[in-house]
Structure formats: structure tokens, C-alpha cells
Amino acid sequence: MKYINLGDTNWQVSAVAFGTWRMHSGNNVSLDQATKALEAAYDCGINFIDSSDVYGRGESEKLLGQALRNSSIKREDVFIQTKGGIIPHQRYDFSKEHLLNAVDDSLQRLGLDYLDAYVLHRPDPLMEPDEVADAFDQMQREGKVRHFGVSNFNTQQFLLLQESLDQKLLVNQLEFGLKHTGMIDHGIHSNMSDERSIDHDGEFLEFARRMGVTIQAWSPFQLSNYGGLFINNPDYPELNQALQKLADKYQVSKNAIALAWILRHPASFQVLIGSMNPEHIVDNAQGPEIQLTRQEWYDLYKAAGNDLP
Ligand SMILES: NC(=O)c1ccc[n+]([C@@H]2O[C@H](COP(=O)([O-])OP(=O)(O)OC[C@H]3O[C@@H](n4cnc5c(N)ncnc54)[C@H](OP(=O)(O)O)[C@@H]3O)[C@@H](O)[C@H]2O)c1
């Protein structure tokens, strides 16, 4: 496993993190399976777990807490992060009252007395940065949360909040992978007027590199907008051939190559994987061991349907 510094801190966290979006009975995941998946991740050197209060409508946090207690993993040996700020099908809510209640509910479901990080799940247009700052201060003062981050924020939203906080935001969770490359497309198409030149996130990638913010890339194997997997998908033969060629060369799976592609970028990405299958987790965890050449990185980018002007 490769380890990276989280944000601009000295903490060494695994470059691959274990995501628990799919850890719930709706996805046919039992406590036994959740425990096995968690232990497989830990045995591969993964020391970072991500959840959210909306995953499985709270069930994922519960199952994660149970799986952790069921496993041989010590609480202090893993970095546990969850997210809040969404009231499903109603609104995003960054009010102090909601955030304080939400973090208490998450801790209770997880069966933990502190979180390593709390992340705001999706930007709330009604966000009052000072109110969020009060909530974060209180969570930290009461020993419930150690660090903070955001998810799906653009650069200005990130700065707007950061300027009101005493704590440094360490992470921003953003969708990124071979079939969701907007963060780099617009840079490659800079100064052009085609569709790919459109910047969808306020140049967050460049901002993160300058400011030492970790981008947590979510859904690395998925098509954009929850469109399903591109790996072994017959609609993407060119990309799958290119992945297979490198998988053969490096003697790993196509999934591991897709992760190596993200991690080859010089921004310090952390990739959130979502498999609940121990074999697939072991497979994916080989990604950080592979250092693609510059040409291989570009070949995969082009095979994914992108051009170089
Ligand atoms: N902040 C946000 O808005 C946001 C949004 C979405 C997700 N996330 C985070 O990102 C995490 C990952 O998202 P994701 O689950 O979409 O990621 P993903 O790892 O791209 O996709 C997981 C899916 O790929 C399959 N898969 C993985 N490795 C495989 C392999 N080697 N062979 C065959 N199939 C394989 C899994 O099936 P198996 O289980 O059968 O292996 C599962 O169906 C989530 O858990 C969550 O923590 C954040």
C-alpha cells in the first residue's frame, strides 16, 4: 500500500480508502460480509474508512460500527470519517442545529465516541459560514470530531467556508476516474471554446495542489453520474483493451490499473473504493503499487474517449 499525507498534515493515510456507501442490506450485505470486507481492506494496509449518514439511510454507519467491533481491528488504528448535511429528499442543511444533531446521531449509529473527520456531504446554497464554524468548534471542543472536510465543493465554496473556520479543511471529496475526467479536461482544453473546456469545479484540482488539500476521488470505476461500471462494460471496448494491455504487463487486474491511473496524477489523490467483496478489495489494493509511465497515463486518457488538442 502507498501512503499519503492527509491534507497538509503529517498523517500517513492509505492512498486507497474503504468507502461504505454500498454497505447495507439493500445491497445484500450482511454483518458477516461487512466484517470480512473491512478486514480484507485493513489487511491490505487500508487505514481510512469513509461513510455518510445517508448511506443505506443510516444503516451503513450502523453496520460499519458493528463490523468494526466484530473485527480484530482496533479503533485507534483506523481513520474514521463520516459525512452529514443532507436530509434525504428534503434539503441540504448546514445549520448549526442540524449539524450538531447529525454528528451525535452518526456517533450513536457507529457506536463511537469520536470521529477522525467530519465532512459536509454536498454544498448547501443556504450555508452561513459562521454558523458552520460554530458547529465545528463545538464538535471539536466536545471531543466528538478531530478534523473537517467537504465534499463536492467548488473552489469558491471551499474558500468561503475556509475563511470562517479556525480549522483547516483537509479534504474535498469529488467524483474522479477514467470516465469522469472533467477536472483535467478543462485544463487540457484551456483557451478553447469546445465543451471540454468548460470548468465544472472552479479549478479545484490546481487549487488543491497549491493549498495542500487532499482530493478524495469517489466512484473510481464508474461512468459519470452513477452510470454503472466502465470496467468489463462492452460499450467501452477501447478503454477495456487499453486497461487489459497494462493489466497483462503489470500482472494485476484492470481495476488496479484504473486506480493506478488516478494515483499517477501528481495531486495527492486518495481513492475511495466501494467494493464489498474481499477478493475485489485485495485486487484493487494492488493499484497503488503500480507506477504508470507518462505515455501509459496518456494512452489510457485517450482510450477513455478523450482527445489531445
Ligand atoms: N461524496 C460523494 O458524493 C460520494 C458519492 C458516491 C460515493 N462516494 C464514496 O465513494 C465510495 C466508492 O464509491 P463506489 O462504490 O461507487 O466506487 P467504485 O469502487 O467505483 O464502485 C464499486 C462497485 O464496483 C464493483 N467492483 C469494484 N472492484 C471490482 C473488481 N475488482 N471486480 C469487479 N467489480 C468490482 C463493486 O462490486 P463488488 O462489491 O461486487 O466488488 C461495486 O459494485 C463510496 O463507498 C463512498 O464512500 C462519495
Side-chain angles (χ1 to χ4, degrees), residues 19 21-22 50 151-152 173 218-219 221-222 274-276 280:
W21 177 31
R22 297 169 195 270
D50 176 68
S151 171
N152 302 304
Q173 234 173 72
W218 55 263
S219 294
F221 308 131
Q222 305 281 329
S275 176
M276 290 294 125
H280 292 168

Side-chain angles (χ1 to χ4, degrees), residues 53 58-59 61-62 65 69 102 104-111:
D53 58 3
E59 198 197 326
E61 286 184 333
K62 257 192 211 162
R69 288 188 292 283
D104 284 345
D105 290 347
S106 285
L107 285 169
Q108 195 190 20
R109 278 190 293 268
L110 286 158

Side-chain angles (χ1 to χ4, degrees), residues 42 47 64 91 131 133-134 143 152 154 172 199 207 218 232 241 295 297:
Y42 185 75
N47 65 3
L64 170 60
R91 62 181 186 274
E131 207 180 335
D134 279 352
N152 302 304
N154 67 31
N172 188 10
D199 170 16
F207 172 78
W218 55 263
N232 296 330
Q241 272 164 25
Q295 191 57 54
W297 189 87

Side-chain angles (χ1 to χ4, degrees), residues 234-244 299-300 302-305:
D235 292 340
Y236 302 92
E238 199 187 335
L239 177 55
N240 275 284
Q241 272 164 25
L243 286 166
Q244 188 63 58
D299 288 346
L300 285 171
K302 286 187 284 177

Side-chain angles (χ1 to χ4, degrees), residues 78-113:
V78 279
F79 196 104
I80 301 178
Q81 163 180 291
T82 197
K83 303 189 283 295
I86 297 180
I87 302 180
H89 311 301
Q90 291 186 43
R91 62 181 186 274
Y92 304 142
D93 194 337
F94 289 3
S95 64
K96 181 177 176 185
E97 186 189 10
H98 175 71
L99 293 177
L100 290 177
N101 287 334
V103 88
D104 284 345
D105 290 347
S106 285
L107 285 169
Q108 195 190 20
R109 278 190 293 268
L110 286 158
L112 298 176
D113 52 9

Side-chain angles (χ1 to χ4, degrees), residues 24-306:
H24 55 87
S25 56
N27 195 30
N28 294 318
V29 178
S30 63
L31 175 58
D32 182 52
Q33 195 184 344
T35 309
K36 286 185 175 135
L38 183 64
E39 286 185 324
Y42 185 75
D43 290 345
C44 291
I46 294 175
N47 65 3
F48 196 107
I49 304 165
D50 176 68
S51 191
S52 166
D53 58 3
V54 293
Y55 293 165
R57 293 182 164 263
E59 198 197 326
S60 302
E61 286 184 333
K62 257 192 211 162
L63 201 46
L64 170 60
Q66 288 167 352
L68 198 59
R69 288 188 292 283
N70 211 19
S71 75
S72 50
I73 303 167
K74 288 198 203 118
R75 160 68 184 96
E76 60 275 19
D77 289 345
V78 279
F79 196 104
I80 301 178
Q81 163 180 291
T82 197
K83 303 189 283 295
I86 297 180
I87 302 180
H89 311 301
Q90 291 186 43
R91 62 181 186 274
Y92 304 142
D93 194 337
F94 289 3
S95 64
K96 181 177 176 185
E97 186 189 10
H98 175 71
L99 293 177
L100 290 177
N101 287 334
V103 88
D104 284 345
D105 290 347
S106 285
L107 285 169
Q108 195 190 20
R109 278 190 293 268
L110 286 158
L112 298 176
D113 52 9
Y114 74 93
L115 292 165
D116 295 285
Y118 194 63
V119 165
L120 301 177
H121 203 150
R122 281 202 159 270
D124 172 11
L126 303 183
M127 171 176 78
E128 299 282 2
D130 291 341
E131 207 180 335
V132 177
D134 279 352
F136 281 8
D137 285 345
Q138 188 169 329
M139 291 173 193
Q140 210 171 41
R141 207 171 43 243
E142 292 174 349
K144 293 175 180 170
V145 178
R146 297 191 165 169
H147 307 286
F148 299 93
V150 295
S151 171
N152 302 304
F153 271 44
N154 67 31
T155 303
Q156 289 301 323
Q157 291 164 334
F158 187 100
L159 281 170
L160 177 67
L161 177 59
Q162 181 62 82
E163 282 163 8
S164 287
L165 298 178
D166 288 335
Q167 306 85 357
K168 178 115 194 274
L169 293 168
L170 299 184
V171 301
N172 188 10
Q173 234 173 72
L174 294 165
E175 184 173 9
F176 187 67
L178 268 164
K179 285 304 288 177
H180 190 87
T181 49
M183 275 198 283
I184 52 177
D185 299 342
H186 78 86
I188 288 178
H189 286 245
S190 166
N191 196 33
M192 296 176 68
S193 53
D194 59 333
E195 206 173 299
R196 281 173 203 264
S197 67
I198 297 168
D199 170 16
H200 294 278
D201 43 65
E203 298 177 330
F204 197 86
L205 184 59
E206 289 75 14
F207 172 78
R209 289 182 72 180
R210 292 176 63 191
M211 304 304 287
V213 177
T214 296
I215 299 180
Q216 296 181 327
W218 55 263
S219 294
F221 308 131
Q222 305 281 329
L223 299 163
S224 288
N225 307 319
Y226 308 101
L229 298 171
F230 59 80
I231 296 189
N232 296 330
N233 182 331
D235 292 340
Y236 302 92
E238 199 187 335
L239 177 55
N240 275 284
Q241 272 164 25
L243 286 166
Q244 188 63 58
K245 187 175 151 201
L246 293 170
D248 292 343
K249 173 180 169 185
Y250 290 105
Q251 296 291 295
V252 294
S253 68
K254 291 196 271 187
N255 293 72
I257 297 294
L259 292 188
W261 183 84
I262 297 172
L263 295 172
R264 176 64 179 81
H265 192 281
S268 101
F269 275 100
Q270 186 182 38
V271 188
L272 299 175
I273 58 165
S275 176
M276 290 294 125
N277 176 325
E279 279 175 30
H280 292 168
I281 292 167
V282 172
D283 204 28
N284 296 344
Q286 291 182 297
E289 312 296 332
I290 309 300
Q291 174 76 356
L292 297 175
T293 66
R294 297 180 93 88
Q295 191 57 54
E296 287 165 350
W297 189 87
Y298 274 101
D299 288 346
L300 285 171
Y301 180 70
K302 286 187 284 177
N306 301 299

